[in-house]
């Protein structure tokens, strides 16, 4: 089962600068059973590597949006959620989880395995895409590209989380693979599935339509208007049901209007560029890509021009849209990026190729456990697991010792305590919801009415990081409304209650304060 050999041309050919399939020898056919075997191998790898996390309760955005939305569909048949505010996201992932829960029951482990199977399909699509894009490259760089994606902290974490970006990555890679292989109808069908998973995926079929129109292949270009029509149909349903095209006006303001400020646009573009080409040891692959760009013809083929245009389109769209600059949104372009890095490395000499490959792959993998020296969302590596474990420890403690108390805390701890579906408690615990743990918020509490208070590190904020520099903090406050939350020492200096329990893990912490006499 040699996928690399099967997808190579049997003889060297000129660079393909026209429509795919017009130059070069025909591809060898691959039996469907071979794809099934490859999927089985990737599925086993994904599940085995995440075994220790399968029973983990739901994390932040899972708990706040995606699990409740899927449960509304699973239990009540509501395609537009009612238990949480509806937003623009189509119901594709909710439908997928509903099918999994119908078969195996509602449980975090079922959810995790369902998402890991989808991630395995994405890893397979990315591997085959790398083989296709690197058909002219020496060696077998597709294997390194797949290894980089698997080891990438954002992919490894998102692979098990019930969110939209990893399934969107899988479908984006598959649609791009089919497009560059000239399987236009199949690419259009996959693109329909893509926009039903995440609305921003529409950028890919529109790009394909524009590319084919530029090649004057009008009839084929028209196929890729179908996903946009399907997405428009969903928006019409959303508008008819909720009265708003985005589901709610707050979502529209936060994701479409506020990001358009010039300062926020510049900052978002810088952050997107940094993540793709420098963070997590990507700089090593970027140097190799620059070398290949100047000294080889690797990126001159039509397939690469389409792929790079897709990366640029996603990067531009995510710079202009989206209030939260989360790196998981860039997952759909990582297969192209890692294929480019692996292909570029294949043109280096044996010793430098081995050395840079070890630095790149080892560095990417290490960043699953090593946090950066600056603030970042926990979901971008395995820090999210530490967060959920701490959340679970605190919820267990309070539910056992103070089941009838009113617990003051902030999201997502409040959700963990009052919603048993999230996997933290068996029975709801009453909560008083705080917006945050800023010093001003804590000082303003009516302490005479606080029975139990849970304070925890909601973000990674190491000492001496750049966000503590006065000018940067002022900029973030002015344009993002940023207010630093109290750290452990500040919290203990402010809260006039004794600490009943303290939990710490991976540099994160939770304090449980209880009024004396309870």
């Amino acid at each position: 089962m040699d996928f690399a050999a099967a997808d190579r041309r049997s003889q060297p050919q000129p660079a393909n600068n026209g429509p795919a399939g017009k130059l070069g020898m025909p591809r060898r056919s691959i039996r469907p059973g071979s794809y099934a075997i490859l999927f089985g191998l990737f599925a086993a790898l994904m599940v085995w590597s995440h075994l220790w996390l399968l029973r983990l309760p739901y994390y932040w955005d899972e708990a706040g949006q995606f699990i409740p939305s899927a449960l509304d569909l699973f239990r009540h048949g509501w395609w537009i959620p009612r238990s949480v505010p509806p937003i623009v996201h189509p119901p594709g992932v909710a439908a997928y989880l509903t099918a999994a829960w119908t078969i195996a029951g509602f449980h975090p482990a079922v959810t995790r395995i369902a998402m890991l199977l989808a991630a395995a399909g994405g890893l397979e699509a990315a591997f085959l895409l790398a083989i296709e894009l690197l058909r002219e490259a020496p060696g077998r760089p597709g294997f390194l590209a797949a290894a980089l994606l698997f080891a990438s902290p954002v992919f490894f974490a998102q692979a098990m989380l019930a969110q939209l970006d990893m399934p969107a990555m899988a479908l984006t890679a598959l649609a791009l693979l089919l497009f560059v292989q000239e399987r236009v109808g199949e690419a259009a069908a996959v693109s329909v599935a893509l926009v039903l998973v995440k609305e921003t995926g529409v950028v890919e079929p529109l790009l394909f339509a524009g590319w084919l129109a530029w090649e004057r292949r009008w009839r084929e270009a028209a196929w890729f208007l179908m996903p946009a029509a399907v997405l428009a149909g969903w928006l019409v349903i959303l508008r008819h049901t909720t009265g708003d095209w985005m589901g709610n006006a707050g979502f529209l303001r936060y994701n479409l209007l506020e990001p358009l400020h010039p300062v926020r646009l510049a900052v978002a573009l810088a952050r997107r560029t940094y993540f793709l080409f420098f963070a997590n040891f990507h700089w090593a692959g970027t140097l190799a890509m620059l070398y290949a760009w100047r000294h080889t013809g690797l990126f001159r083929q039509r397939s690469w021009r389409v792929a790079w245009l897709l990366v640029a389109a996603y990067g531009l769209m995510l710079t202009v849209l989206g209030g939260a600059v989360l790196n998981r949104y860039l997952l759909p372009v990582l297969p192209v990026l890692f294929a480019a890095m692996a292909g570029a490395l294949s043109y280096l000499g044996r010793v430098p190729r081995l050395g840079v490959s070890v630095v790149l792959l080892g560095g990417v993998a290490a960043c699953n456990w090593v946090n950066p020296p600056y603030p970042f969302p926990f979901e971008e590596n395995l820090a999210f697991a530490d967060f959920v474990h701490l959340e679970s420890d605190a919820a267990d403690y309070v539910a056992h010792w103070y089941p009838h108390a009113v617990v003051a805390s902030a999201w997502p701890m409040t959700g963990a305590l009052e919603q048993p579906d999230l996997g933290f408690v068996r029975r709801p615990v009453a909560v008083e919801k705080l917006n945050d743990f800023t010093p001003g918020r804590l000082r303003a509490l009516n302490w005479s009415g606080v029975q139990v208070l849970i304070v925890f590190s909601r973000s990674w904020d190491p000492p001496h990081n750049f966000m503590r520099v006065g000018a940067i903090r002022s900029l973030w406050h002015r344009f993002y409304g940023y207010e630093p939350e109290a750290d452990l020492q500040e919290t203990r200096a402010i809260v006039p209650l004794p600490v009943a329990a303290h939990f710490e893990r991976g540099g994160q912490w939770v304090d449980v304060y209880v009024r004396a006499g309870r």
Side-chain angles (χ1 to χ4, degrees), residues 264-338:
R264 295 187 63 157
L265 286 174
V267 171
L269 180 61
R271 293 174 66 182
R272 298 303 189 197
T273 303
Y274 172 77
F275 171 72
L276 289 176
F277 299 108
F278 297 98
N280 297 338
F281 281 77
H282 290 186
W283 55 265
T286 297
L287 292 175
M289 287 192 297
L290 292 174
Y291 171 84
W293 200 289
R294 293 190 61 183
H295 299 285
T296 74
L298 174 63
F299 301 128
R300 296 174 186 169
Q301 294 96 338
R302 173 186 184 267
S303 59
W304 271 111
R305 294 203 302 272
V306 175
W308 282 123
L309 188 59
L310 181 64
V311 172
Y314 259 105
L316 179 61
M317 175 190 64
L318 294 174
T319 296
V320 175
L321 305 179
V325 187
L326 298 175
N327 288 331
R328 75 174 192 241
Y329 299 161
L330 289 168
L331 263 174
V333 304
L334 288 188
V336 174
L337 182 72
F338 288 140

Side-chain angles (χ1 to χ4, degrees), residues 336-408:
V336 174
L337 182 72
F338 288 140
M341 292 179 178
L345 286 169
S346 71
Y347 284 91
L348 300 180
R350 182 175 181 275
V351 173
R353 179 176 71 249
L354 180 61
V356 178
S357 297
V358 168
V359 169
L360 177 58
L361 183 57
V364 166
C367 288
N368 279 284
W369 292 274
V370 180
N371 293 343
Y374 49 80
F376 80 112
F378 292 133
E379 66 175 20
E380 291 183 4
N381 72 4
L382 288 172
F384 89 90
D386 290 334
F387 182 92
V388 176
H389 280 302
L390 287 172
E391 193 180 4
S392 182
D393 289 341
D396 281 344
Y397 177 84
V398 169
H400 178 77
W401 292 107
Y402 309 101
H404 304 298
V406 176
V407 181

Side-chain angles (χ1 to χ4, degrees), residues 10-60:
S10 57
Q11 298 177 10
Q13 297 294 324
N16 187 351
N17 293 311
K22 294 187 177 181
L23 291 175
M25 299 292 290
R27 297 176 180 83
R28 298 182 188 177
S29 62
I30 299 175
R31 294 191 300 270
S34 298
Y35 291 114
I37 292 171
L38 184 62
F39 173 77
L41 292 174
F42 281 138
L45 174 65
M46 295 304 303
V47 174
W48 173 81
S49 63
H50 289 77
L51 274 177
W52 57 294
L53 298 169
L54 290 185
R55 293 184 175 272
L56 207 63
Y58 296 114
Y59 175 72
W60 212 298

Side-chain angles (χ1 to χ4, degrees), residues 439 441-453 455 488-500 511-517:
R441 186 81 60 185
L442 291 176
R443 291 191 182 99
L445 282 176
N446 178 14
W447 290 106
S448 63
V450 176
Q451 300 174 337
V452 178
L453 171 69
V455 183
L488 180 61
Q489 289 72 31
E490 288 178 299
T491 302
R492 290 187 173 181
I494 295 171
V495 177
L497 303 177
V499 177
D511 269 350
V512 181
Y513 298 85
V514 179
R515 178 170 297 282

Side-chain angles (χ1 to χ4, degrees), residues 122-189:
L123 190 57
E124 179 177 15
F127 175 56
L128 297 174
L129 175 63
I131 291 172
E132 178 67 29
L133 292 174
L134 300 172
R135 293 170 71 193
E136 303 298 333
R140 299 174 187 269
F143 290 96
L144 176 59
L148 288 169
L149 180 62
F150 170 74
S152 171
V154 175
F155 175 80
F156 195 87
Q158 293 298 318
M160 61 170 284
L161 296 179
Q163 300 183 147
L164 310 183
D165 306 279
M166 186 279 301
M169 181 223 78
L171 294 168
T172 300
L174 180 57
L176 179 58
L177 170 66
L178 294 169
F179 182 79
V180 298
Q181 289 181 340
E182 284 295 289
R183 296 158 69 179
V184 171
E186 294 167 81

